[in-house]
Amino acid sequence: MTIIDDKQALRDQQKTRLAAIDPAEKKEQSLSLYRQLFENLDWQSSDRVAITLSLPLELSTRPIIQQAWELDKHVFVPKIVDKKMIFVEFTETTKIIKGKMSISEPEGAAAFPKNDIDLMIVPGLAFTKTGKRLGFGAGYYDRYLSDYSGKTLSLALNDQLLAAIPTDKLDVRVQQVLAPEN
């Protein structure tokens, strides 16, 4: 088996695990993660935050986006344009459409300069405490983060926190991984 095969098998396993999380347990873990994020110094000191519009399988990012708006932070979400990921500003009036891979993204909008984003909340299917990450397999975040100079952070539900993840030279670690407090 190659590392690509190992990663794909782990992706499939993680999708199954995440789909099976008890909703009440997911809510409890989510609340712990939101609290930790909102108490995090990188969050508190950031005016421009990048985050995804979450999929049902993932931790909901809606409360994070709402909190950012309430704190007058600027929120940026990814959009795929010409096989590249860009981030565009997301406001309460932004129109959302289904983009590549059926992921919700803003309609229209111009790319925001990468290194003007203070904090990037990076999604994934699995993480290690040391910042290794298993994404969904398209490589968009690894390419984007390869020359990003801001802060990176991921929020991992208990079933997303693993002891080890297969990685290669193109995989970019996140600086912080927050996990639910038990």
Side-chain angles (χ1 to χ4, degrees):
M1 262 184 121
T2 67
I3 192 165
I4 293 169
D5 294 332
D6 290 346
K7 284 181 171 184
Q8 192 52 54
L10 186 54
R11 277 186 194 98
D12 294 342
Q13 176 187 328
Q14 283 302 105
K15 287 176 184 174
T16 301
R17 285 180 77 188
L18 292 174
I21 296 174
D22 175 68
E25 180 62 29
K26 185 175 183 179
K27 181 178 181 182
E28 187 177 314
Q29 290 181 40
S30 299
L31 292 174
S32 173
L33 288 169
Y34 300 145
R35 187 180 65 256
Q36 288 180 69
L37 174 65
F38 300 151
E39 292 172 356
N40 183 283
L41 293 178
D42 289 335
W43 166 266
Q44 291 175 0
S45 65
S46 296
D47 291 322
R48 295 173 303 276
V49 178
I51 191 165
T52 60
L53 299 173
S54 54
L55 298 169
L57 195 65
E58 299 174 292
L59 170 86
S60 175
T61 57
R62 183 53 69 178
I64 298 167
I65 292 168
Q66 202 63 49
Q67 179 70 9
W69 287 337
E70 287 176 21
L71 295 171
D72 292 325
K73 295 180 185 291
H74 295 271
V75 176
F76 300 88
V77 296
K79 180 178 176 103
I80 305 304
V81 178
D82 298 328
K83 298 184 182 173
K84 278 180 55 185
M85 186 171 70
I86 63 169
F87 279 81
V88 299
E89 188 151 16
F90 181 63
T91 68
E92 294 176 72
T93 60
T94 302
K95 185 172 182 198
I96 298 298
I97 59 169
K98 287 285 181 200
K100 301 282 183 205
M101 302 181 295
S102 295
I103 294 173
S104 295
E105 62 182 29
E107 184 178 63
F112 189 77
K114 178 185 297 192
N115 288 316
D116 288 347
I117 295 171
D118 302 317
L119 174 65
M120 177 140 328
I121 300 173
V122 183
L125 288 168
F127 306 91
T128 66
K129 288 183 179 180
T130 59
K132 288 183 179 179
R133 164 187 169 275
L134 180 73
F136 286 83
Y140 288 115
Y141 270 89
D142 289 314
R143 287 190 297 278
Y144 194 88
L145 293 173
S146 67
D147 63 350
Y148 170 69
S149 62
K151 302 281 186 192
T152 57
L153 182 148
S154 291
L155 304 168
L157 297 165
N158 287 333
D159 284 334
Q160 290 178 288
L161 203 57
L162 304 181
I165 292 174
T167 57
D168 59 40
K169 66 182 188 321
L170 298 176
D171 292 321
V172 177
R173 286 183 187 220
V174 291
Q175 296 161 350
Q176 291 181 70
V177 177
L178 302 181
E181 296 168 330
N182 296 325

